[in-house]
Amino acid sequence: MKVIVCEMGHHCCSKQKVKRGLWSPEEDEKLIKHITNHGHGCWSSVPKLAGLQRCGKSCRLRWINYLRPDLRRGSFTEHEERTIIDVHRILGNRWAQIAKHLPGRTDNEVKNFWNSCIKKKLIAQGLDPNTHNLLSPHQIPILNANNNKNMDSTKPVFAIINTSTQTKDAKKVPPFQPRSDALANAQFSSSANDSIMSHNLCENSLTRQSSNLYYQDCNIVLENDARHQSSLGFSSQHLVGSANMPILLPLSSSSHPPDHFGSAVQSWGVNGGFGVGLEPVRRPEVYDQEMLQPVMVNQGVVAQEFVNKGLDLRGGGEVHNQTNVEMGSFDGCNIDLEFMEAALMPCEMYSNVGSLNQLAWDCN
DNA sequence: AAAACATACAACCGCACCCGT
DNA sequence: TACGGGTGCGGTTGTATGTTT
């Protein structure tokens, strides 16, 4: 083990030589003994009192991340992993906040686990770890190149795209950013009115919206890009996707060529969700509420277009009429649907995060 | 067997915020 | 109000260990 001794560092340790690098068992023992007997008090004074040639900051870090008795060591459980993913989707890289939802885990541990494990899993699933949306099409070649070993070309590949990126100026669309300010104000209840309010407040927070997933053929989406921006401007996508709602797309599949979905491309509308795969994860009351008030829920321009055109968003007009989806089309695909559902489900459905109120509270 | 490479994780660094003076 | 010390946080680096070639 190489121990570096230097005179550089923080103001708290600039007056004396301090060790850097890995801690020895003897140093650990000294620190534990001191804090057990006296508490840490002012961290800058700990090294001197404990007889350590370390800076206070280093002592604090060692204690918090490694020596604390209430730390939970060992690998992360699946439940913890899901919690991390879910909270990260809402809070972003706020590791300390995320760690608060995992008793015995430190921010550093969560961060390392994210960077070394979860990140790769999400990418392997076609998810952008930063946004939790499906990777944009221009990222897919990279993804495929990196994952060819694990790819089964006979199965569809999915990616999430944000509906707001389905434009020619996709790159200009700002990426998903956690909205802690909105979360802080968000209220969630079972009433329809509250639901509407919540969605308005949490426009981007991937809460209930995240359960509104619709699968479409990526090729067709891209080919129809212009149509999506037309003045007529509405398709099933516009209805199902608010400006920020993620949509699941099968990117490519030899067993499911574009034609296979061609007849269904407009069928993935409000009622045409990928029934087999997604219906189980939806809460009926939420579904109904959103069906009643999609315009309010989806605050995008497109929804307003529906209002302007006097369309009945409950019944669905042309959108609602096209629900002939072959539900068995994705049998045997290699995507981990459960994982994706978990990653996109409202947190209270599977994690120990009681509610977004809790998260909002923690944000403050 | 050894070198090269990959991975996990501990630790460091710089910055921002809080609070007391 | 300005300043400085203490602390917390997120990004980054360094190192031990495992795996592959």
Side-chain angles (χ1 to χ4, degrees):
Chain A
M1 178 185 8
K2 185 169 59 179
V3 177
I4 303 170
V5 179
C6 75
E7 295 181 329
M8 302 298 287
H10 306 94
H11 52 264
C12 65
C13 54
S14 59
K15 294 177 183 176
Q16 59 182 16
K17 290 184 178 182
V18 294
K19 277 187 182 177
R20 294 172 60 195
L22 297 181
W23 280 62
S24 68
E26 292 76 21
E27 287 177 311
D28 284 345
E29 190 180 348
K30 283 183 179 178
L31 185 59
I32 291 172
K33 190 173 181 179
H34 172 75
I35 294 181
T36 302
N37 293 333
H38 307 97
H40 62 75
C42 173
W43 281 111
S44 60
S45 63
V46 165
K48 186 179 179 181
L49 295 173
L52 292 164
Q53 284 189 313
R54 295 274 181 173
C55 71
K57 202 168 183 175
S58 180
C59 291
R60 173 185 165 272
L61 207 64
R62 183 64 177 171
W63 176 257
I64 290 176
N65 286 339
Y66 202 82
L67 299 177
R68 246 169 53 200
D70 59 330
L71 285 180
R72 177 180 179 175
R73 312 300 300 179
S75 55
F76 282 78
T77 65
E78 186 181 353
H79 183 262
E80 287 177 313
E81 183 177 324
R82 287 188 172 187
T83 299
I84 293 170
I85 292 170
D86 185 62
V87 181
H88 181 276
R89 186 178 58 224
I90 298 167
L91 298 179
N93 292 358
R94 299 171 68 177
W95 307 116
Q97 292 291 329
I98 295 172
K100 287 179 181 176
H101 295 279
L102 302 162
R105 301 294 189 183
T106 68
D107 55 350
N108 205 38
E109 205 175 3
V110 170
K111 180 174 57 182
N112 284 333
F113 183 57
W114 176 270
N115 287 327
S116 64
C117 185
I118 298 180
K119 212 172 181 177
K120 292 170 186 173
K121 278 191 180 180
L122 292 179
I123 291 172
Q125 298 284 356
L127 292 164
D128 184 334
N130 296 318
T131 65
H132 293 258
N133 289 344
L134 284 168
L135 288 166
S136 56
H138 73 274
Q139 296 174 278
I140 299 307
I142 299 170
L143 172 69
N144 289 346
N146 291 338
N147 292 283
N148 270 345
K149 292 176 183 177
N150 301 321
M151 299 290 285
D152 181 344
S153 62
T154 66
K155 298 172 181 177
V157 179
F158 292 84
I160 287 179
I161 66 168
N162 190 308
T163 51
S164 63
T165 66
Q166 293 176 44
T167 67
K168 291 174 181 175
D169 276 335
K171 289 181 180 178
K172 295 180 181 178
V173 178
F176 163 69
Q177 295 292 331
R179 287 289 304 273
S180 57
D181 54 338
L183 283 169
N185 295 320
Q187 300 292 324
F188 296 92
S189 76
S190 58
S191 77
N193 284 340
D194 283 354
S195 175
I196 293 165
M197 287 299 295
S198 299
H199 281 289
N200 286 338
L201 289 168
C202 301
E203 59 173 314
N204 228 347
S205 62
L206 289 172
T207 55
R208 285 175 173 172
Q209 291 182 1
S210 61
S211 65
N212 296 323
L213 302 175
Y214 300 90
Y215 294 73
Q216 297 182 347
D217 186 312
C218 182
N219 296 327
I220 295 172
V221 168
L222 296 175
E223 289 167 4
N224 290 333
D225 200 27
R227 189 193 63 189
H228 296 155
Q229 299 181 83
S230 68
S231 57
L232 181 59
F234 61 87
S235 68
S236 58
Q237 290 181 26
H238 283 141
L239 182 57
V240 303
S242 69
N244 301 295
M245 182 188 293
I247 288 180
L248 286 177
L249 300 175
L251 290 172
S252 64
S253 167
S254 58
S255 63
H256 303 96
D259 283 348
H260 183 81
F261 291 94
S263 61
V265 65
Q266 292 184 346
S267 305
W268 308 91
V270 172
N271 286 342
F274 190 53
V276 172
L278 289 176
E279 284 302 318
V281 306
R282 300 196 59 160
R283 292 171 296 182
E285 66 274 19
V286 174
Y287 188 91
D288 291 341
Q289 288 166 15
E290 291 167 358
M291 284 301 295
L292 287 172
Q293 296 289 347
V295 178
M296 297 300 290
V297 169
N298 302 323
Q299 39 183 288
V301 178
V302 175
Q304 187 59 47
E305 287 181 18
F306 279 86
V307 177
N308 295 340
K309 296 174 188 301
L311 295 179
D312 180 3
L313 291 170
R314 302 184 189 189
E318 66 176 79
V319 173
H320 186 63
N321 290 336
Q322 298 166 353
T323 56
N324 300 322
V325 181
E326 291 185 37
M327 294 302 182
S329 300
F330 290 79
D331 286 348
C333 70
N334 65 346
I335 192 167
D336 183 349
L337 283 173
E338 191 215 347
F339 181 84
M340 294 194 71
E341 287 167 9
L344 290 155
M345 282 166 61
C347 56
E348 67 268 29
M349 297 198 60
Y350 62 85
S351 75
N352 65 354
V353 181
S355 70
L356 287 173
N357 281 332
Q358 175 75 34
L359 283 176
W361 185 86
D362 288 340
C363 286
N364 296 329

